[in-house]
């Protein structure tokens, strides 16, 4: 399943049970926020711009599954999360889900008590080559910089920090 060149003035929302084993992929996605309420979703979006460049409203990625026996796999990459300057809630939220933000530039300011990434019960949030307000979430020594990208992991949840690399793949044959 594929979605490309989506430009919404509001929220892109998926709910209920995700389609069997199919991945929902897409590119060039623009919306105020991305919400997944349900379980079994497998979403991989690249070229994602969420929020409002004027920083006057919240922007978010939320992967919320109520079941501990199922989960969501959500990746948003190569884009921006442009949030509110002062009253932004969590930029990224996950529960019983694996949520990856890869090469995302996050701007704005969270409201007191909110986070760049909030990992709730059984969640796995991955901040890969992402930045918050111009500061890399992975510092120059390769360590998580939680003073630049504040996060919270509740109960059995985890937050991972990482970078990107380059890989060369070769194929050879013998004559």
């Amino acid at each position: 399943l594929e979605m490309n060149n989506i430009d919404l003035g509001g929220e892109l929302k998926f709910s209920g049970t995700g389609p069997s084993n199919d991945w929902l992929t897409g590119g060039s996605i623009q919306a105020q926020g991305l919400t997944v309420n349900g379980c079994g979703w497998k979403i991989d979006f690249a070229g994602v711009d969420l929020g409002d460049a004027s920083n006057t409203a919240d922007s978010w990625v939320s992967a919320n599954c109520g079941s501990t026996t199922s989960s969501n796999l959500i990746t948003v990459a190569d884009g921006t999360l442009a949030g509110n300057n002062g009253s932004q809630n969590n930029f990224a939220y996950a529960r019983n889900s694996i949520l990856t933000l890869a090469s995302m530039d996050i701007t704005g300011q969270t409201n007191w008590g909110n986070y760049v990434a909030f990992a709730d019960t059984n969640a796995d949030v991955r901040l890969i080559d992402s930045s918050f307000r111009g500061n890399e979430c992975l510092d120059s020594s390769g360590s998580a910089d939680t003073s630049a990208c504040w996060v919270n992991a509740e109960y059995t949840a985890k937050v991972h920090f990482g970078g990107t690399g380059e890989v060369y793949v070769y194929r050879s044959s013998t004559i």
Side-chain angles (χ1 to χ4, degrees):
L1 304 171
E2 193 167 335
M3 293 177 67
N4 288 306
N5 301 314
I6 305 298
D7 190 354
L8 300 174
E11 169 185 22
L12 179 57
K13 184 174 185 175
F14 301 93
S15 60
T17 303
S20 63
N21 290 322
D22 293 335
W23 279 86
L24 177 58
T25 62
S28 189
I29 310 289
Q30 295 178 346
Q32 189 64 39
L34 172 63
T35 300
V36 178
N37 279 330
C39 301
W41 289 93
K42 296 177 182 135
I43 298 174
D44 186 7
F45 287 156
V48 177
D49 292 312
L50 300 174
D52 181 351
S54 65
N55 287 334
T56 59
D58 281 1
S59 65
W60 67 91
V61 177
S62 176
N64 185 15
C65 170
S67 171
T68 59
T69 59
S70 183
S71 66
N72 295 307
L73 300 171
I74 311 296
T75 299
V76 293
D78 302 321
T80 60
L81 273 135
N84 194 337
N85 270 331
S87 64
Q88 170 74 38
N89 291 312
N90 300 310
F91 281 100
Y93 172 83
R95 180 172 69 122
N96 294 317
S97 300
I98 298 171
L99 173 59
T100 303
L101 301 181
S103 298
M104 295 294 289
D105 294 321
I106 304 165
T107 62
Q109 176 64 46
T110 64
N111 198 1
W112 183 257
N114 289 286
Y115 301 90
V116 172
F118 187 103
D120 210 339
T121 307
N122 296 324
D124 188 339
V125 175
R126 301 167 183 178
L127 298 172
I128 309 299
D129 194 27
S130 292
S131 65
F132 178 53
R133 296 170 55 193
N135 299 303
E136 295 298 322
C137 294
L138 191 67
D139 69 18
S140 60
S141 70
S143 299
D145 191 349
T146 55
S147 67
C149 288
W150 49 90
V151 300
N152 189 27
E154 295 283 328
Y155 312 109
T156 55
K158 299 177 196 131
V159 176
H160 304 272
F161 293 80
T164 56
E166 197 170 303
V167 175
Y168 295 99
V169 178
Y170 299 95
R171 186 178 105 176
S172 64
S173 65
T174 305
I175 300 178

